[in-house]
Amino acid sequence: MIFGKKLNISLIESDVIWNDKKANLQNLEEKLKFIPKGTDIVVLPELFSTGFYIEQPNEMRELAERNTEDTILTLKRLAKENNVAITGSFMARTADRIFNRAFFVESSGDETYYDKRHTFNIGGEQEVFTSGNKKPHIIRYRGWNILLSVCYDLRFPVWLRNIDCKYDLLIVVANWPKARDYVWQHLLIARALENQCYVCGCNRIGNSPSGIEYIGNSMILDFRGKVIANATDNNSIITASLSSDKLRSFRESFPVWKDFDEFDLRNL
């Protein structure tokens, strides 16, 4: 359990430029100049450096990188220069497989990864990405316990179940289309309510080459499922200060977490 600590978090919505890592990384570097002083974590959308265009699977595969290549090296530099942790996801290559890999890169150089478990097979994501086969690690950062998830993972409450309140903040990075915006908003609320934790969801804006529209609606919610910060315009930075004291007090006064059902996720 955390005691007496604030966590300042900033979400950066962006219109991701398809297949242009250099431009997307430059855009990130520019936007970092405008994050509020004292920010602890910067959250980026899913596949922030390349975009998502499943209609071109071969071209997507060519964009994949190892954890030791340009995208992560740039993130490490930016995290150190700005004294923040940066999280999002990128196209990662391990041996002959491609993963939609979430990252949490700290100013110290420490890094944590999680491969998206639930590929969006309805939309053909499995044609490019291999599904991750490990539960995400809980990250301990500046006194807080944090869990990473990627887009479609949000639909699966058992996968994200917060047994014994082991995590305090759930981060969801996404490319969630406008057509399912209602679902996006309400699933974020549901995950905050059922897990008695803060939730932040960072979504992209703009259009994919195939014409899919993304309107962001990134938001930060408290443990009661109430929105405490959200986007007000395109390309905005959404910021909130999270309170561990308020979280602890709520969990103590309304301890429904003690009655959570435990689940056995086989083969993991």
Side-chain angles (χ1 to χ4, degrees):
M1 182 62 73
I2 49 181
F3 294 99
K5 291 185 179 293
K6 296 277 189 178
L7 189 74
N8 299 314
I9 189 162
S10 292
L11 282 53
I12 298 181
E13 288 191 339
S14 53
D15 184 352
V16 181
I17 304 168
W18 162 246
N19 194 8
D20 196 336
K21 293 179 189 175
K22 182 177 180 181
N24 289 316
L25 287 167
Q26 286 177 340
N27 286 344
L28 170 60
E29 186 161 8
E30 183 64 24
K31 289 182 179 181
L32 285 172
K33 297 175 183 177
F34 300 98
I35 62 171
K37 185 177 180 180
T39 294
D40 295 298
I41 301 175
V42 172
V43 187
L44 311 176
E46 177 186 22
L47 301 179
F48 84 100
S49 60
T50 58
F52 190 94
Y53 189 20
I54 203 65
E55 290 82 357
Q56 297 288 338
N58 291 332
E59 195 168 353
M60 285 188 69
R61 292 187 190 99
E62 291 300 315
L63 294 172
E65 299 177 59
R66 299 186 184 279
N67 295 353
T68 54
E69 295 186 70
D70 288 347
T71 295
I72 296 299
L73 290 176
T74 300
L75 290 168
K76 286 184 173 182
R77 174 178 63 80
L78 294 175
K80 183 177 181 180
E81 289 175 357
N82 293 277
N83 190 31
V84 296
I86 305 176
T87 183
S89 85
F90 77 114
M91 283 192 222
R93 181 184 302 278
T94 298
D96 60 346
R97 295 182 297 172
I98 310 298
F99 296 93
N100 188 338
R101 180 165 292 165
F103 56 83
F104 191 91
V105 175
E106 302 179 34
S107 57
S108 64
D110 290 345
E111 54 200 290
T112 305
Y113 298 101
Y114 157 68
D115 293 332
K116 183 179 180 181
R117 169 66 174 175
H118 301 93
T119 52
F120 187 58
N121 297 337
I122 298 168
E125 191 174 353
Q126 79 283 4
E127 298 298 322
V128 174
F129 295 105
T130 299
S131 177
N133 60 7
K134 294 182 180 180
K135 287 280 287 180
H137 296 293
I138 293 175
I139 300 163
R140 184 70 174 175
Y141 177 72
R142 297 186 179 178
W144 288 68
N145 293 330
I146 300 166
L147 194 76
L148 302 182
S149 63
V150 182
C151 204
Y152 195 43
D153 286 332
L154 182 62
R155 283 186 176 265
F156 301 94
V158 174
W159 184 248
L160 300 175
R161 176 65 78 201
N162 193 11
I163 299 297
D164 294 329
C165 288
K166 290 181 179 177
Y167 66 83
D168 309 303
L169 168 64
L170 172 65
I171 294 176
V172 186
V173 300
N175 278 198
W176 202 286
K178 177 183 178 181
R180 292 187 289 278
D181 179 62
Y182 179 89
V183 178
W184 162 252
Q185 294 184 54
H186 286 76
L187 288 178
L188 288 172
I189 294 168
R191 299 296 87 84
L193 287 170
E194 68 196 13
N195 292 307
Q196 294 194 292
C197 67
Y198 286 100
V199 171
C200 78
C202 187
N203 193 23
R204 66 159 292 180
I205 56 175
N207 295 277
S208 74
S210 58
I212 297 174
E213 184 179 2
Y214 302 91
I215 59 170
N217 258 337
S218 300
M219 62 185 73
I220 303 170
L221 303 100
D222 72 7
F223 36 82
R224 293 184 176 89
K226 297 176 67 174
V227 176
I228 56 177
N230 58 4
T232 56
D233 54 39
N234 286 352
N235 292 297
S236 60
I237 297 174
I238 303 103
T239 299
S241 182
L242 313 185
S243 168
S244 61
D245 285 341
K246 290 180 179 179
L247 175 60
R248 183 185 69 250
S249 177
F250 179 71
R251 286 173 170 175
E252 290 174 350
S253 65
F254 193 59
V256 297
W257 57 272
K258 292 183 178 180
D259 298 318
F260 282 176
D261 298 308
E262 294 200 34
F263 299 92
D264 179 18
L265 294 170
R266 290 168 292 179
N267 302 320
L268 294 174

